[in-house]
Amino acid sequence: MHLPLADRHLYVLGGPSAHVGFLNCERISERSHIHDWSVEAHYHEGLAQLFVFAKGQVGARLDYAPESITGPAMVWLPALCSHAFEYETGMEGWVITIPTGDLSQLSTEAPYLDHWINRPQLLVGEDHITCLTEAIDITRRIETAHCEALEDQNLALKSLFCLLLVLLNRGLRDNRALQDGNTQRKRYLVHEFQCLVENPATSSHSVAEFAKALSVTSTHLSRTVKAATGRTASEILSDQMLLKAKRMLAFSDQSISDIAFALGFSSPSYFSRFFSARASETPRDFRKRIRSQ
């Protein structure tokens, strides 16, 4: 694996001291003649970057993690964060570079940025299309202001850049809310599944039937249960069915055949095979042993 290099001249115009204005804004296409739309792994000392992709495909490695990005998207890269890009030829996008000293001042004024600003971030997807569309419009305004030698240029650039940070912060906050909502829904689904399984009146052995009762697909139910409990839905069903069978064998006088049918088995022999495989003894031997104790 090639170690990332500290960039000095290839991917950004100089180090922090070369940035006499508040920020530097470039179109990715403006320096494509240098990197031929392919940027090797590197990092920047004293400089943070915000990439805004309007459209096109980008293959990226952000802090060594591979990402496939389709614009519109925003990528935040703090100083010293390794990154590499494979751009689609002719794609539309910008890179905004800001010295970390100026960024630290902004963070002091906006402490709510602290939870993400020192780590690479990616904002992409239909859930954020309004936010990303607005970010592209603001970036175009930054590009225009960056070319204007006006007395209030730095104030304009700072204000517009702060708006980009606000949009990114809100998008990341919505991401967390969406993830939290998904987590809550998954926990609720697992809880409802377990309640159905543990219901004494339940005699189904089929994950599909439970999924139908919970208005989800069998695949979704199985994956959710596995992720939450570490066990498959089928394993939980089998364990619960075995527990019910043991209770009925131990505490009721029903025949083994009646217990088999009460638990939803198609035949006593099928029930015996199921029980023996999991309890390592037949239903009859289990009943005899328990009652002798």
Side-chain angles (χ1 to χ4, degrees), residues 52-136:
V52 180
F53 302 134
K55 57 184 177 181
Q57 300 285 330
V58 185
R61 293 191 69 85
L62 309 179
D63 210 10
Y64 305 103
E67 296 283 356
S68 180
I69 305 169
T70 302
M74 297 173 73
V75 175
W76 171 255
L77 295 171
L80 303 180
C81 175
S82 171
H83 52 284
F85 295 107
E86 292 287 340
Y87 297 113
E88 179 182 358
T89 301
M91 71 160 299
E92 184 180 7
W94 299 261
V95 54
I96 298 170
T97 306
I98 177 173
T100 52
D102 294 325
L103 184 64
S104 296
Q105 183 179 350
L106 292 181
S107 299
T108 301
E109 298 169 359
Y112 47 83
L113 303 178
D114 287 346
H115 68 274
W116 62 263
I117 205 163
N118 292 318
R119 301 188 304 276
Q121 305 292 339
L122 171 62
L123 192 68
V124 67
E126 289 297 321
D127 292 332
H128 305 293
I129 192 66
T130 301
C131 172
L132 293 169
T133 301
E134 188 175 351
I136 292 167

Coordinates of all heavy atoms in Angstrom, one line a residue, residues 52-136:
V52 N -17.5 20.0 -3.3 CA -18.9 20.0 -3.7 C -19.0 19.5 -5.1 O -18.5 20.1 -6.1 CB -19.4 21.5 -3.6 CG1 -20.9 21.5 -4.0 CG2 -19.2 22.1 -2.2
F53 N -19.7 18.3 -5.3 CA -19.9 17.7 -6.6 C -21.3 18.0 -7.1 O -22.3 17.6 -6.4 CB -19.6 16.2 -6.5 CG -18.3 15.8 -5.9 CD1 -18.1 14.8 -4.9 CD2 -17.1 16.4 -6.4 CE1 -16.9 14.5 -4.5 CE2 -15.9 16.1 -5.9 CZ -15.8 15.1 -5.0
A54 N -21.4 18.6 -8.2 CA -22.7 18.9 -8.8 C -23.3 17.7 -9.5 O -24.4 17.3 -9.3 CB -22.6 20.1 -9.7
K55 N -22.4 17.1 -10.4 CA -22.9 15.9 -11.1 C -21.7 15.1 -11.5 O -20.6 15.6 -11.7 CB -23.8 16.2 -12.3 CG -23.1 17.2 -13.3 CD -24.1 17.5 -14.4 CE -23.5 18.5 -15.3 NZ -24.4 18.9 -16.4
G56 N -21.9 13.8 -11.8 CA -20.8 12.9 -12.2 C -20.4 11.9 -11.1 O -20.9 11.9 -10.0
Q57 N -19.6 10.9 -11.5 CA -19.2 9.8 -10.7 C -17.8 10.0 -10.1 O -17.0 10.5 -10.8 CB -19.3 8.5 -11.5 CG -20.6 8.1 -12.0 CD -21.6 7.6 -11.0 OE1 -21.1 7.0 -10.0 NE2 -22.8 7.8 -11.2
V58 N -17.7 9.7 -8.9 CA -16.4 9.8 -8.2 C -16.1 8.5 -7.4 O -16.9 8.1 -6.6 CB -16.3 11.0 -7.2 CG1 -14.9 11.2 -6.7 CG2 -16.8 12.3 -7.9
G59 N -15.0 7.9 -7.7 CA -14.5 6.8 -6.8 C -13.5 7.4 -5.8 O -12.6 8.1 -6.2
A60 N -13.7 7.2 -4.5 CA -12.9 7.9 -3.5 C -12.4 7.0 -2.5 O -13.0 5.9 -2.2 CB -13.8 9.0 -2.9
R61 N -11.3 7.4 -1.8 CA -10.9 6.8 -0.6 C -10.7 7.9 0.4 O -9.8 8.7 0.3 CB -9.6 6.0 -0.8 CG -9.7 4.8 -1.7 CD -8.4 3.9 -1.6 NE -8.3 3.3 -0.4 CZ -8.9 2.1 0.0 NH1 -9.7 1.5 -0.9 NH2 -8.7 1.6 1.2
L62 N -11.6 7.9 1.4 CA -11.6 8.9 2.4 C -11.1 8.4 3.7 O -11.7 7.5 4.4 CB -13.0 9.5 2.6 CG -13.7 9.9 1.3 CD1 -15.2 10.4 1.6 CD2 -13.0 10.9 0.6
D63 N -9.9 8.8 4.1 CA -9.3 8.2 5.3 C -9.2 6.7 5.2 O -9.5 6.0 6.1 CB -10.0 8.6 6.6 CG -9.1 8.7 7.8 OD1 -7.9 8.7 7.6 OD2 -9.6 8.9 8.9
Y64 N -8.8 6.2 4.0 CA -8.6 4.8 3.6 C -9.9 4.0 3.4 O -9.9 2.9 3.1 CB -7.7 4.1 4.7 CG -6.4 4.8 4.9 CD1 -6.2 5.6 6.0 CD2 -5.4 4.7 4.0 CE1 -5.0 6.2 6.2 CE2 -4.2 5.3 4.2 CZ -4.0 6.1 5.3 OH -2.8 6.7 5.5
A65 N -11.1 4.7 3.6 CA -12.3 4.0 3.4 C -12.8 4.2 2.0 O -13.0 5.4 1.6 CB -13.4 4.4 4.4
P66 N -13.1 3.1 1.2 CA -13.6 3.3 -0.2 C -15.0 3.8 -0.2 O -15.8 3.4 0.6 CB -13.5 1.9 -0.8 CG -13.6 1.0 0.4 CD -13.0 1.7 1.6
E67 N -15.3 4.7 -1.1 CA -16.6 5.3 -1.3 C -16.9 5.5 -2.8 O -16.0 5.9 -3.6 CB -16.8 6.7 -0.6 CG -16.6 6.7 0.9 CD -17.9 6.1 1.6 OE1 -18.9 5.8 0.9 OE2 -17.8 6.0 2.8
S68 N -18.1 5.1 -3.2 CA -18.5 5.4 -4.6 C -19.6 6.5 -4.5 O -20.6 6.3 -3.9 CB -19.1 4.1 -5.2 OG -19.6 4.4 -6.5
I69 N -19.3 7.7 -5.1 CA -20.1 8.9 -4.9 C -20.7 9.3 -6.2 O -20.0 9.3 -7.3 CB -19.2 10.0 -4.3 CG1 -18.5 9.6 -3.0 CG2 -20.1 11.2 -4.1 CD1 -17.5 10.5 -2.5
T70 N -22.0 9.6 -6.2 CA -22.6 10.1 -7.4 C -23.2 11.5 -7.0 O -23.9 11.6 -6.0 CB -23.8 9.2 -7.8 OG1 -23.3 7.9 -8.1 CG2 -24.5 9.8 -9.0
G71 N -22.8 12.5 -7.8 CA -23.2 13.9 -7.5 C -24.7 14.0 -7.7 O -25.3 13.3 -8.4
P72 N -25.4 14.9 -6.9 CA -24.8 15.9 -6.1 C -24.3 15.3 -4.7 O -24.9 14.4 -4.2 CB -25.9 17.0 -5.9 CG -27.1 16.2 -6.0 CD -26.8 15.1 -7.0
A73 N -23.2 15.9 -4.2 CA -22.7 15.4 -2.9 C -21.7 16.4 -2.4 O -21.2 17.3 -3.1 CB -21.9 14.1 -3.2
M74 N -21.5 16.3 -1.1 CA -20.5 17.1 -0.4 C -19.6 16.2 0.4 O -20.0 15.3 1.0 CB -21.2 18.1 0.6 CG -22.1 19.1 -0.1 SD -23.0 20.1 1.2 CE -21.7 21.2 1.8
V75 N -18.3 16.5 0.3 CA -17.3 15.8 1.1 C -16.4 16.7 1.9 O -15.9 17.7 1.3 CB -16.3 15.0 0.1 CG1 -15.2 14.3 0.9 CG2 -17.1 13.9 -0.7
W76 N -16.4 16.5 3.2 CA -15.6 17.4 4.1 C -14.3 16.6 4.5 O -14.4 15.4 4.9 CB -16.4 17.7 5.3 CG -15.5 18.4 6.4 CD1 -15.0 17.9 7.5 CD2 -15.0 19.8 6.3 NE1 -14.3 18.8 8.2 CE2 -14.3 20.0 7.5 CE3 -15.1 20.8 5.4 CZ2 -13.6 21.2 7.8 CZ3 -14.5 22.0 5.7 CH2 -13.8 22.2 6.9
L77 N -13.2 17.2 4.3 CA -11.9 16.6 4.7 C -11.1 17.5 5.6 O -10.6 18.6 5.1 CB -11.1 16.3 3.4 CG -11.7 15.3 2.5 CD1 -10.9 15.2 1.2 CD2 -11.7 13.9 3.1
P78 N -10.9 17.2 6.8 CA -10.1 18.0 7.7 C -8.6 17.9 7.4 O -8.2 17.0 6.6 CB -10.4 17.4 9.1 CG -10.7 16.0 8.8 CD -11.4 16.0 7.5
A79 N -7.8 18.7 8.0 CA -6.3 18.6 7.7 C -5.8 17.2 8.1 O -6.3 16.6 9.1 CB -5.6 19.7 8.5
L80 N -4.8 16.8 7.4 CA -4.1 15.5 7.7 C -4.9 14.3 7.4 O -4.5 13.2 7.8 CB -3.6 15.5 9.2 CG -2.7 16.6 9.6 CD1 -2.3 16.4 11.1 CD2 -1.4 16.6 8.8
C81 N -6.0 14.4 6.8 CA -6.9 13.3 6.4 C -6.5 12.8 5.0 O -6.6 13.6 4.0 CB -8.4 13.7 6.4 SG -9.5 12.4 5.9
S82 N -6.1 11.5 4.9 CA -5.7 11.0 3.6 C -7.0 10.9 2.7 O -8.0 10.5 3.2 CB -5.1 9.6 3.8 OG -4.9 9.0 2.6
H83 N -6.7 11.2 1.4 CA -7.9 11.1 0.5 C -7.3 10.9 -0.9 O -6.2 11.3 -1.2 CB -8.8 12.3 0.5 CG -8.1 13.6 0.4 ND1 -7.4 14.2 1.4 CD2 -8.0 14.5 -0.6 CE1 -6.9 15.4 1.0 NE2 -7.2 15.6 -0.2
A84 N -8.1 10.2 -1.7 CA -7.7 10.0 -3.1 C -9.0 10.0 -3.9 O -10.1 9.6 -3.4 CB -7.0 8.7 -3.3
F85 N -9.0 10.4 -5.2 CA -10.2 10.5 -6.0 C -9.9 10.0 -7.4 O -8.8 10.2 -8.0 CB -10.7 11.9 -6.1 CG -11.1 12.5 -4.8 CD1 -10.4 13.5 -4.2 CD2 -12.3 12.1 -4.3 CE1 -10.8 14.0 -3.0 CE2 -12.8 12.7 -3.1 CZ -12.0 13.6 -2.4
E86 N -10.9 9.3 -8.0 CA -10.9 9.0 -9.4 C -12.2 9.6 -10.0 O -13.3 9.1 -9.8 CB -11.0 7.4 -9.6 CG -9.7 6.7 -9.2 CD -8.6 6.9 -10.2 OE1 -8.8 7.3 -11.4 OE2 -7.4 6.7 -9.8
Y87 N -12.0 10.7 -10.7 CA -13.1 11.5 -11.2 C -13.6 11.0 -12.5 O -12.8 10.6 -13.4 CB -12.8 13.0 -11.3 CG -12.4 13.7 -10.0 CD1 -11.1 14.1 -9.8 CD2 -13.3 13.9 -9.0 CE1 -10.7 14.8 -8.7 CE2 -13.0 14.6 -7.9 CZ -11.7 15.0 -7.7 OH -11.3 15.6 -6.6
E88 N -14.9 11.1 -12.8 CA -15.4 10.9 -14.1 C -14.9 12.1 -15.0 O -15.1 13.2 -14.6 CB -16.9 10.8 -14.1 CG -17.6 10.6 -15.5 CD -19.1 10.6 -15.4 OE1 -19.6 10.7 -14.3 OE2 -19.7 10.5 -16.5
T89 N -14.4 11.8 -16.1 CA -13.9 12.8 -17.0 C -15.0 13.9 -17.3 O -16.1 13.5 -17.7 CB -13.4 12.3 -18.3 OG1 -12.3 11.3 -18.0 CG2 -12.8 13.3 -19.2
G90 N -14.7 15.1 -17.1 CA -15.6 16.2 -17.4 C -16.6 16.5 -16.3 O -17.5 17.3 -16.5
M91 N -16.5 15.8 -15.2 CA -17.5 16.0 -14.1 C -17.5 17.5 -13.6 O -16.4 18.2 -13.7 CB -17.3 15.1 -13.0 CG -16.0 15.4 -12.1 SD -16.1 14.6 -10.5 CE -17.5 15.4 -9.8
E92 N -18.6 17.9 -13.0 CA -18.7 19.3 -12.5 C -18.6 19.2 -11.0 O -19.3 18.6 -10.3 CB -20.0 19.9 -12.9 CG -20.1 21.4 -12.5 CD -21.5 22.0 -12.9 OE1 -22.3 21.2 -13.4 OE2 -21.6 23.2 -12.7
G93 N -17.6 20.0 -10.5 CA -17.4 20.0 -9.1 C -16.4 21.1 -8.7 O -15.7 21.6 -9.5
W94 N -16.3 21.4 -7.4 CA -15.4 22.4 -6.9 C -14.7 21.8 -5.6 O -15.2 21.0 -4.9 CB -16.1 23.7 -6.5 CG -16.9 24.3 -7.6 CD1 -16.5 25.4 -8.3 CD2 -18.2 24.0 -8.0 NE1 -17.5 25.8 -9.2 CE2 -18.5 25.0 -9.1 CE3 -19.1 23.0 -7.7 CZ2 -19.7 24.9 -9.7 CZ3 -20.4 23.0 -8.4 CH2 -20.6 23.9 -9.4
V95 N -13.5 22.4 -5.3 CA -12.9 22.2 -4.1 C -12.6 23.5 -3.4 O -12.0 24.4 -4.1 CB -11.6 21.3 -4.3 CG1 -10.6 22.0 -5.3 CG2 -10.9 21.1 -2.9
I96 N -13.0 23.6 -2.2 CA -12.8 24.9 -1.4 C -11.8 24.5 -0.3 O -12.0 23.6 0.4 CB -14.1 25.4 -0.8 CG1 -15.1 25.7 -1.9 CG2 -13.9 26.6 0.1 CD1 -16.5 26.0 -1.4
T97 N -10.7 25.3 -0.3 CA -9.7 25.1 0.7 C -9.6 26.2 1.7 O -9.6 27.4 1.3 CB -8.3 24.9 0.0 OG1 -8.4 23.9 -1.1 CG2 -7.2 24.5 0.9
I98 N -9.5 25.9 2.9 CA -9.4 26.9 4.0 C -8.3 26.6 5.0 O -8.2 25.4 5.4 CB -10.8 27.1 4.7 CG1 -10.7 28.1 5.8 CG2 -11.3 25.8 5.2 CD1 -12.1 28.4 6.4
P99 N -7.5 27.6 5.4 CA -6.5 27.3 6.5 C -7.2 26.9 7.8 O -8.3 27.4 8.1 CB -5.8 28.6 6.6 CG -6.0 29.3 5.3 CD -7.4 28.9 4.9
T100 N -6.6 26.0 8.5 CA -7.2 25.5 9.7 C -7.2 26.6 10.8 O -8.1 26.5 11.7 CB -6.4 24.3 10.3 OG1 -5.0 24.6 10.4 CG2 -6.5 23.1 9.4
G101 N -6.4 27.6 10.7 CA -6.5 28.7 11.7 C -7.8 29.4 11.6 O -8.4 29.7 12.6
D102 N -8.2 29.7 10.3 CA -9.5 30.4 10.1 C -10.6 29.5 10.5 O -11.6 29.9 11.0 CB -9.6 30.8 8.6 CG -8.6 31.9 8.3 OD1 -8.3 32.8 9.1 OD2 -8.1 31.9 7.1
L103 N -10.4 28.2 10.2 CA -11.5 27.2 10.5 C -11.7 27.1 12.0 O -12.8 27.0 12.5 CB -11.1 25.8 10.0 CG -12.2 24.7 10.1 CD1 -13.5 25.1 9.4 CD2 -11.6 23.4 9.6
S104 N -10.6 27.1 12.8 CA -10.7 27.1 14.3 C -11.4 28.2 14.8 O -12.2 28.1 15.8 CB -9.2 27.1 14.9 OG -8.6 25.9 14.5
Q105 N -11.3 29.4 14.2 CA -12.0 30.6 14.7 C -13.5 30.4 14.4 O -14.3 30.7 15.3 CB -11.5 31.8 13.9 CG -12.2 33.1 14.4 CD -11.7 34.3 13.7 OE1 -10.7 34.3 12.9 NE2 -12.4 35.5 13.9
L106 N -13.9 29.8 13.3 CA -15.3 29.6 13.0 C -15.8 28.5 14.0 O -17.0 28.7 14.4 CB -15.4 29.0 11.5 CG -15.2 30.0 10.4 CD1 -15.4 29.3 9.1 CD2 -16.0 31.2 10.5
S107 N -15.1 27.5 14.3 CA -15.5 26.5 15.2 C -15.8 27.1 16.6 O -16.7 26.6 17.3 CB -14.5 25.3 15.3 OG -14.3 24.7 14.1
T108 N -14.9 28.0 17.0 CA -15.1 28.7 18.3 C -16.5 29.4 18.3 O -17.2 29.4 19.3 CB -14.0 29.6 18.6 OG1 -12.7 28.9 18.6 CG2 -14.1 30.3 19.9
E109 N -16.8 30.0 17.2 CA -18.1 30.8 17.1 C -19.3 29.8 17.0 O -20.4 30.2 17.2 CB -18.0 31.7 15.9 CG -16.9 32.8 16.0 CD -16.7 33.6 14.8 OE1 -17.4 33.3 13.8 OE2 -15.8 34.5 14.7
A110 N -19.0 28.6 16.5 CA -20.1 27.6 16.3 C -19.7 26.3 16.9 O -19.4 25.4 16.1 CB -20.4 27.5 14.8
P111 N -19.8 26.1 18.2 CA -19.3 24.9 18.9 C -20.1 23.7 18.5 O -19.6 22.5 18.7 CB -19.5 25.2 20.4 CG -20.5 26.3 20.4 CD -20.3 27.1 19.2
Y112 N -21.3 23.8 17.9 CA -22.1 22.6 17.5 C -21.4 21.9 16.3 O -21.8 20.8 15.9 CB -23.5 23.0 17.1 CG -23.6 24.2 16.2 CD1 -23.5 24.1 14.9 CD2 -23.8 25.5 16.8 CE1 -23.6 25.2 14.0 CE2 -24.0 26.6 16.0 CZ -23.8 26.5 14.6 OH -23.9 27.6 13.8
L113 N -20.4 22.5 15.7 CA -19.7 21.8 14.6 C -18.6 20.9 15.1 O -18.1 20.0 14.4 CB -19.0 22.9 13.7 CG -19.8 24.0 13.1 CD1 -18.9 24.9 12.3 CD2 -20.9 23.4 12.2
D114 N -18.3 20.9 16.4 CA -17.2 20.2 17.0 C -17.3 18.7 16.8 O -16.3 17.9 16.7 CB -17.0 20.5 18.4 CG -16.4 21.9 18.6 OD1 -15.9 22.5 17.6 OD2 -16.4 22.4 19.8
H115 N -18.6 18.2 16.8 CA -18.8 16.7 16.8 C -18.5 16.1 15.5 O -18.4 14.9 15.4 CB -20.2 16.4 17.3 CG -21.3 16.8 16.3 ND1 -21.8 18.0 16.3 CD2 -21.9 16.1 15.3 CE1 -22.7 18.1 15.3 NE2 -22.8 16.9 14.7
W116 N -18.3 16.9 14.4 CA -18.0 16.3 13.1 C -16.8 16.9 12.4 O -16.2 16.3 11.5 CB -19.2 16.2 12.2 CG -19.8 17.6 11.9 CD1 -20.8 18.2 12.4 CD2 -19.4 18.4 10.8 NE1 -21.1 19.4 11.8 CE2 -20.2 19.6 10.8 CE3 -18.4 18.4 9.8 CZ2 -20.1 20.6 9.9 CZ3 -18.2 19.4 8.9 CH2 -19.1 20.5 9.0
I117 N -16.4 18.1 12.7 CA -15.5 18.9 11.9 C -14.1 18.4 11.8 O -13.4 18.7 10.9 CB -15.6 20.4 12.3 CG1 -15.2 21.3 11.1 CG2 -14.6 20.6 13.5 CD1 -15.6 22.7 11.2
N118 N -13.7 17.5 12.8 CA -12.4 17.0 12.8 C -12.3 15.6 12.2 O -11.3 14.9 12.3 CB -11.8 17.0 14.2 CG -11.6 18.4 14.7 OD1 -11.1 19.2 14.0 ND2 -12.0 18.6 16.0
R119 N -13.4 15.1 11.5 CA -13.4 13.8 10.9 C -13.9 14.0 9.5 O -14.8 14.9 9.2 CB -14.3 12.8 11.7 CG -13.9 12.6 13.1 CD -14.7 11.5 13.7 NE -16.1 11.7 13.7 CZ -16.8 12.4 14.5 NH1 -16.1 13.0 15.6 NH2 -18.1 12.6 14.4
P120 N -13.5 13.1 8.5 CA -14.1 13.2 7.2 C -15.6 12.9 7.2 O -16.1 12.1 7.9 CB -13.3 12.1 6.4 CG -12.8 11.2 7.5 CD -12.6 12.0 8.7
Q121 N -16.3 13.6 6.3 CA -17.8 13.5 6.3 C -18.2 13.4 4.8 O -17.6 14.0 3.9 CB -18.5 14.7 7.0 CG -18.0 14.9 8.4 CD -18.5 13.8 9.4 OE1 -19.4 13.1 9.1 NE2 -17.8 13.8 10.5
L122 N -19.3 12.7 4.6 CA -19.9 12.5 3.3 C -21.4 12.8 3.4 O -22.1 12.2 4.2 CB -19.6 11.1 2.7 CG -20.3 10.8 1.4 CD1 -19.9 11.7 0.2 CD2 -20.1 9.3 1.0
L123 N -21.9 13.7 2.5 CA -23.3 13.9 2.5 C -23.8 13.7 1.0 O -23.3 14.4 0.1 CB -23.6 15.4 2.9 CG -25.1 15.7 3.2 CD1 -25.6 14.9 4.4 CD2 -25.3 17.2 3.4
V124 N -24.6 12.7 0.8 CA -25.1 12.3 -0.5 C -26.4 11.6 -0.5 O -26.8 11.1 0.6 CB -24.0 11.4 -1.2 CG1 -23.9 10.1 -0.4 CG2 -24.2 11.2 -2.7
G125 N -27.1 11.6 -1.6 CA -28.4 10.9 -1.6 C -29.6 11.7 -1.8 O -29.6 12.9 -1.5
E126 N -30.7 11.1 -2.2 CA -32.0 11.8 -2.4 C -32.5 12.4 -1.2 O -33.2 13.4 -1.2 CB -33.0 10.8 -3.0 CG -32.7 10.3 -4.4 CD -32.8 11.5 -5.4 OE1 -33.6 12.4 -5.2 OE2 -31.9 11.5 -6.3
D127 N -32.3 11.9 0.0 CA -32.8 12.5 1.2 C -32.2 13.9 1.5 O -32.8 14.6 2.2 CB -32.4 11.6 2.4 CG -33.1 10.3 2.5 OD1 -34.2 10.2 1.9 OD2 -32.6 9.3 3.0
H128 N -31.1 14.2 0.8 CA -30.5 15.5 1.0 C -30.5 16.4 -0.2 O -29.7 17.3 -0.3 CB -29.0 15.3 1.5 CG -28.9 14.4 2.7 ND1 -29.4 14.8 4.0 CD2 -28.4 13.2 2.9 CE1 -29.2 13.8 4.8 NE2 -28.6 12.8 4.2
I129 N -31.3 16.1 -1.2 CA -31.3 16.7 -2.5 C -31.5 18.2 -2.4 O -30.8 19.0 -3.0 CB -32.3 16.1 -3.5 CG1 -32.0 16.6 -4.9 CG2 -33.7 16.3 -3.1 CD1 -30.6 16.1 -5.5
T130 N -32.4 18.7 -1.5 CA -32.7 20.1 -1.3 C -31.4 20.8 -0.8 O -31.0 21.9 -1.3 CB -33.9 20.3 -0.4 OG1 -35.0 19.7 -1.0 CG2 -34.2 21.8 -0.3
C131 N -30.9 20.2 0.3 CA -29.7 20.8 0.9 C -28.5 20.8 -0.1 O -27.8 21.8 -0.2 CB -29.3 19.9 2.1 SG -27.7 20.3 2.9
L132 N -28.3 19.8 -0.9 CA -27.2 19.7 -1.8 C -27.4 20.7 -3.0 O -26.4 21.3 -3.4 CB -27.0 18.3 -2.3 CG -26.6 17.3 -1.2 CD1 -26.7 15.8 -1.8 CD2 -25.1 17.5 -0.8
T133 N -28.6 20.8 -3.4 CA -28.8 21.8 -4.5 C -28.5 23.2 -4.1 O -27.9 24.0 -4.8 CB -30.3 21.7 -5.0 OG1 -30.6 20.3 -5.4 CG2 -30.6 22.6 -6.1
E134 N -28.9 23.5 -2.8 CA -28.6 24.8 -2.3 C -27.1 25.0 -2.1 O -26.6 26.1 -2.4 CB -29.3 25.0 -1.0 CG -29.2 26.4 -0.4 CD -30.0 26.6 0.9 OE1 -30.8 25.7 1.2 OE2 -29.9 27.7 1.5
A135 N -26.4 24.0 -1.7 CA -25.0 24.0 -1.5 C -24.3 24.3 -2.9 O -23.3 25.1 -2.9 CB -24.4 22.7 -0.9
I136 N -24.7 23.7 -4.0 CA -24.2 23.9 -5.3 C -24.4 25.4 -5.7 O -23.4 26.0 -6.2 CB -24.8 23.0 -6.3 CG1 -24.4 21.5 -6.0 CG2 -24.4 23.4 -7.7 CD1 -25.2 20.5 -6.8

